Amino acid sequence: MKRNDEKAKILVTVIPFVLIILILLITLIVSGIKNKGLREDNEELQESIKEYADNSLTGQKEQEEAEDVVNMTVPESTQAPEAAATPSVSPSPVPAVVSGNNASPTPYAEVMESNQVNYDKITFDKDEQLREMMTYWADNNQKALDDLANLDRFKAMSWRLRGTKDFYYYGDKDAGGLPNGTGIAVYADNQYYYGQWANGVRSGNGTWIHYHMHVDENKEDLYIYHQYTGSFKNDLPDGEGSEHYDYNTELFEENTGYNTNLVGSYKGGLIHGDFYVTNLYSDENIKEWYAKAQNGSWIYQNDNRDGSGRGPVMVEDRNSENYIWMSPAENKNIGVSCLISAGR
């Protein structure tokens, strides 16, 4: 009986101790599992954050490259004058040029020759190069087109045509060997066209682009390229179309709007019909305008004139009292500037 009592006392003493040890072991095991899970979760979270950051930076870089990737100078618009003789707010002194005429090239031959590259000695394969460019154009790969046009062998190809309206062509032809169907051509002054042809001239829908490579070590060109996309007839823009200008924005002047897009209609290469216009400012502000044109001239919005004889030719989309001004001398023969064409 005494032994049983002693055993009972031992069990009462030992069992709680064993239970405590078991509880501690279980606690340590559970804690280890949790810590491992937390570490894994934390590592996964950190990896997700890193991936998100990388994607964000990549997206930001792509956006910056795209922006780097895509005219007409117009003044900071002003309120319409209350009377023809005494406008309430004088128009800006900045020349009110609202046509592509302001995008005329600097002297092509002189500047190209000053680049210290003898383009006459650079060899090129016009058919192969135009075929290569045509592939990218069909895929709407503007970046690839820009890169190709800036290669010396492409510049040399265009340079060989300087002083003429001739062009090198690659694409569909009729039985007589004239461009007919879909094809691509290069002209002097780093100009290209891709689209439809008929009877040897641009006819139908297509895109023309003029790369402004008029630079040397002493000069930077405001324009990167000028582009027209739309209908052609008799080798000239005719019908619905749009112009786009891409700039070196670092050369923008303050309080001056630079037209980036004109959407409207053309006749014989000149503006003719209703137009929607956007322009960009040095502070990245964008303004939208409406205008009407006839036979290469903007139709004045009203009879008001300033002291220099300028009148309002475009009205702002969000402010019907805000205009772009232009003088009669400037307001003529406005169209797709610099275009080399057999129709002119």
Side-chain angles (χ1 to χ4, degrees):
M1 188 70 177
K2 185 176 180 180
R3 285 183 179 179
N4 291 335
D5 291 340
E6 289 178 353
K7 288 181 179 181
K9 288 181 180 179
I10 292 172
L11 289 174
V12 170
T13 303
V14 172
I15 288 174
F17 179 74
V18 172
L19 289 175
I20 290 172
I21 292 175
L22 288 174
I23 291 171
L24 289 174
L25 289 173
I26 292 171
T27 301
L28 290 173
I29 292 171
V30 172
S31 177
I33 292 173
K34 287 183 178 180
N35 287 337
K36 180 181 179 181
L38 288 173
R39 284 195 301 271
E40 291 175 348
D41 290 343
N42 187 51
E43 291 173 356
E44 184 178 353
L45 178 60
Q46 290 179 348
E47 187 66 27
S48 298
I49 292 172
K50 182 178 182 298
E51 182 179 355
Y52 175 79
D54 290 342
N55 291 337
S56 297
L57 290 173
T58 301
Q60 180 180 357
K61 181 179 180 182
E62 291 175 349
Q63 181 179 1
E64 291 173 352
E65 291 175 350
E67 291 174 351
D68 288 339
V69 163
V70 82
N71 275 75
M72 306 157 283
T73 307
V74 297
E76 180 73 27
S77 59
T78 58
Q79 299 298 321
E82 295 178 357
T86 56
S88 58
V89 180
S90 298
S92 167
V94 179
V97 181
V98 293
S99 76
N101 294 342
N102 193 60
S104 59
T106 54
Y108 175 62
E110 290 85 343
V111 174
M112 290 293 285
E113 289 171 350
S114 71
N115 287 337
Q116 298 181 352
V117 176
N118 190 341
Y119 293 104
D120 288 320
K121 292 187 177 181
I122 294 177
T123 59
F124 59 88
D125 185 331
K126 57 184 178 60
D127 289 338
E128 176 59 26
Q129 290 177 196
L130 289 176
R131 183 201 62 77
E132 181 182 9
M133 180 173 275
M134 187 174 183
T135 301
Y136 290 119
W137 216 318
D139 291 338
N140 294 316
N141 191 336
Q142 184 67 53
K143 179 64 167 57
L145 291 175
D146 299 346
D147 291 342
L148 288 179
N150 279 277
L151 295 176
D152 282 344
R153 58 189 172 96
F154 278 82
K155 292 179 183 179
M157 178 173 61
S158 177
W159 174 250
R160 194 66 55 87
L161 296 165
R162 66 191 183 279
T164 75
K165 292 185 178 181
D166 298 337
F167 57 90
Y168 296 137
Y169 175 81
Y170 178 88
D172 299 332
K173 297 179 181 179
D174 62 16
L178 293 176
N180 198 84
T182 301
I184 185 173
V186 57
Y187 300 78
D189 202 14
N190 303 302
Q191 297 189 25
Y192 296 87
Y193 170 83
Y194 169 74
Q196 297 176 330
W197 298 73
N199 302 317
V201 298
R202 290 167 286 195
S203 183
N205 291 320
T207 297
W208 164 87
I209 189 167
H210 174 204
Y211 287 98
H212 281 251
M213 300 176 188
H214 315 114
V215 297
D216 57 29
E217 63 273 14
N218 299 316
K219 174 180 171 57
E220 289 185 283
D221 200 322
L222 171 65
Y223 302 94
I224 297 175
Y225 66 78
H226 172 205
Q227 177 176 295
Y228 168 85
T229 299
S231 178
F232 279 79
K233 181 180 179 181
N234 296 327
D235 213 46
L236 288 170
D238 198 292
E240 298 298 317
S242 63
E243 293 181 72
H244 171 73
Y245 292 84
D246 206 37
Y247 297 98
N248 180 356
T249 56
E250 294 180 355
L251 300 180
F252 276 10
E253 297 179 3
E254 292 185 4
N255 301 321
T256 299
Y258 296 83
N259 285 8
T260 51
N261 297 288
L262 294 89
V263 182
S265 59
Y266 299 75
K267 181 180 178 181
L270 302 177
I271 55 174
H272 185 81
D274 295 335
F275 272 84
Y276 164 77
V277 180
T278 64
N279 59 47
L280 178 65
Y281 292 78
S282 59
D283 61 0
E284 299 184 353
N285 183 33
I286 296 175
K287 289 188 178 181
E288 304 171 49
W289 311 84
Y290 291 102
K292 291 180 180 292
Q294 184 174 16
N295 298 324
S297 297
W298 299 110
I299 298 174
Y300 288 101
Q301 300 285 325
N302 54 51
D303 295 330
N304 291 329
R305 297 291 185 272
D306 68 359
S308 300
R310 292 188 298 175
V313 295
M314 294 186 186
V315 60
E316 188 181 355
D317 175 40
R318 298 184 179 182
N319 184 354
S320 61
E321 298 299 320
N322 216 19
Y323 298 93
I324 288 174
W325 297 73
M326 198 172 194
S327 71
E330 297 167 318
N331 191 17
K332 59 183 180 181
N333 297 322
I334 299 169
V336 180
S337 64
C338 307
L339 176 71
I340 297 173
S341 170
R344 289 176 173 169

